[in-house]
Amino acid sequence: MTLSELAQKLKALGYPVAYSHFKSVQVPPFICYLIADGDTFSADNTVLSKITYVDIELYVANKDLAAEKKIEDMLKENELPWGYDEIFIKDEGVFKCTFSITLIN
């Protein structure tokens, strides 16, 4: 899956979606996704695979298991294993739920 295909699948979930950040203030829930890191797999002086580590960040005002499940189901349907982390951003009054995935193409 490419980054643009991932973006389309995230937008299909029904939440506002942006790469990295929005240009205007958003009311939760909303999703941001961004490349956290990248790598390549090479042999014989040729890049054979591009590896992109992506964080999908769900921002919610209150714990929203239904929104998290939508993301989990989309990842499962597309055979994308994920890691999960959650923090509360006190200054903004929101939870940030981060799904970390790896795209290989």
Side-chain angles (χ1 to χ4, degrees):
M1 177 180 297
T2 65
L3 194 61
S4 61
E5 291 169 336
L6 175 65
Q8 292 172 350
K9 293 187 182 296
L10 290 172
K11 289 175 184 175
L13 297 177
Y15 302 105
V17 175
Y19 181 81
S20 179
H21 62 282
F22 288 88
K23 293 183 180 181
S24 60
V25 175
Q26 297 294 306
V27 175
F30 60 88
I31 296 172
C32 291
Y33 67 100
L34 65 146
I35 295 174
D37 200 2
D39 204 353
T40 58
F41 175 73
S42 304
D44 297 327
N45 297 320
T46 302
V47 173
L48 300 173
S49 297
K50 179 180 171 184
I51 304 163
T52 308
Y53 302 100
V54 179
D55 284 344
I56 300 167
E57 301 172 343
L58 170 67
Y59 291 86
V60 293
N62 298 301
K63 182 72 173 165
D64 190 339
L65 295 174
E68 290 179 38
K69 182 155 178 26
K70 282 185 178 184
I71 294 172
E72 290 172 4
D73 288 348
M74 182 276 295
L75 294 172
K76 185 175 181 178
E77 287 169 14
N78 291 280
E79 299 178 345
L80 294 168
W82 71 91
Y84 179 84
D85 187 46
E86 179 180 298
I87 63 167
F88 182 72
I89 303 172
K90 188 175 180 179
D91 294 343
E92 297 184 28
V94 297
F95 288 94
K96 179 176 82 166
C97 308
T98 304
F99 296 84
S100 299
I101 65 169
T102 303
L103 301 178
I104 301 173
N105 44 0

